[in-house]
Amino acid sequence: MNLNHYNIIGRGKLGQIVFDLMSCEDTPVISTSKGPRECHQNFIYELGDTLPLPITKDSAATLITLPPSASDDLKLWQKLAKQLASYPNVYYTSSIGALKAEKKHLIEIENIFIENNIRVLRLGGIIFKGKHPINFLQNRELKNSLDPVNLIHANDIAKIIVSIMKRPSMITKEIHYIVAPEHPTKKDYYRDIAHKLSLNEPLFDTSTSKAQRIDCDIDGCTDFNFKSLYQLD
């Protein structure tokens, strides 16, 4: 096994983008997914399973991009975390949604990983190519629309994650944030995007909450050329 290989546990939408980027850089990657992928170094895995044997600790770094659910049995997350506790440079992608009181399960899962020496990357709301959040917000009430948006393009997340995996010294805390530096209000942003895509606007509730802008706090973030939130291609 190549001592410089990387592990990706969960080749969903984001995991696939990270995988593709690393593959383009000729970086050896071993991955897992729920279903088959076009890659001989991909293995079937679901939360609660024993990790496939090729996902070994003689790796440079491991990324966990499994989506959490409020209905998940925490023991399954504990099993995964314990399997990876002795691995070097392991990162779990969480969400800034963990800051919301009603998302208690996100905090519980994060704590499981932190207790096992695994670092947490809280991601802003993700903009995937061809799949913008506005598509789900048309004609729906958007609460606290005067709050700032905390979003980021999936490709930017992937670039930062790949940099972290290749340069672990960028991580200095148990929890870091990966969010784009643009923070218009939800109302301004989603109205502009709706017009740009010829879609119906959300129904704006012009109240505010205590939500604050959240910025990327990883060493070197200011050096990244973030894609504008208004750039949709």
Side-chain angles (χ1 to χ4, degrees), residues 18-210:
V18 175
F19 178 88
D20 290 342
L21 182 56
M22 297 189 88
S23 297
C24 286
E25 297 179 357
D26 293 325
T27 302
V29 183
I30 298 173
S31 63
T32 75
S33 61
K34 285 187 175 182
R37 293 286 191 275
E38 293 182 2
C39 172
H40 70 283
Q41 290 285 46
N42 183 76
F43 302 87
I44 304 300
Y45 170 83
E46 291 197 37
L47 184 65
D49 294 347
T50 298
L51 285 172
L53 287 176
I55 303 292
T56 57
K57 67 176 65 176
D58 61 343
S59 56
T62 298
L63 176 69
I64 308 163
T65 57
L66 299 174
S69 169
S71 62
D72 287 343
D73 183 344
L74 293 180
K75 290 181 181 178
L76 302 183
W77 289 101
Q78 289 169 342
K79 178 179 179 179
L80 174 60
K82 287 178 180 179
Q83 288 180 86
L84 295 170
S86 61
Y87 284 44
N89 308 315
V90 184
Y91 311 102
Y92 167 66
T93 55
S94 184
S95 164
I96 59 171
L99 298 173
K100 299 179 180 179
E102 67 271 22
K103 300 291 186 179
K104 180 182 175 183
H105 67 287
L106 297 181
I107 293 289
E108 291 175 331
I109 294 170
E110 287 182 351
N111 286 338
I112 288 171
F113 284 116
I114 291 171
E115 289 166 3
N116 286 277
N117 198 36
I118 294 168
R119 300 296 180 250
V120 172
L121 305 176
R122 285 181 178 168
L123 312 179
I126 304 177
I127 301 173
F128 288 99
K129 185 176 181 179
K131 194 171 185 180
H132 195 282
I134 188 62
N135 292 306
F136 306 100
L137 294 173
Q138 290 186 85
N139 301 318
R140 294 185 180 182
E141 183 181 28
L142 181 60
K143 295 183 179 181
N144 308 127
S145 68
L146 298 183
D147 287 350
V149 300
N150 291 297
L151 301 170
I152 184 168
H153 283 280
N155 285 348
D156 284 340
I157 295 174
K159 290 175 184 177
I160 293 172
I161 286 176
V162 170
S163 294
I164 290 169
M165 293 177 77
K166 293 188 173 184
R167 187 158 61 92
S169 61
M170 294 173 67
I171 296 300
T172 58
K173 300 184 294 183
E174 292 179 338
I175 298 175
H176 277 285
Y177 292 87
I178 301 179
V179 187
E182 287 179 281
H183 300 281
T185 65
K186 294 179 181 179
K187 182 177 180 180
D188 288 344
Y189 179 69
Y190 287 114
R191 173 172 287 170
D192 288 346
I193 295 297
H195 290 175
K196 195 169 186 176
L197 295 176
S198 299
L199 299 174
N200 293 329
E201 295 180 8
L203 305 176
F204 297 109
D205 163 27
T206 55
S207 60
T208 59
S209 68
K210 295 182 180 180

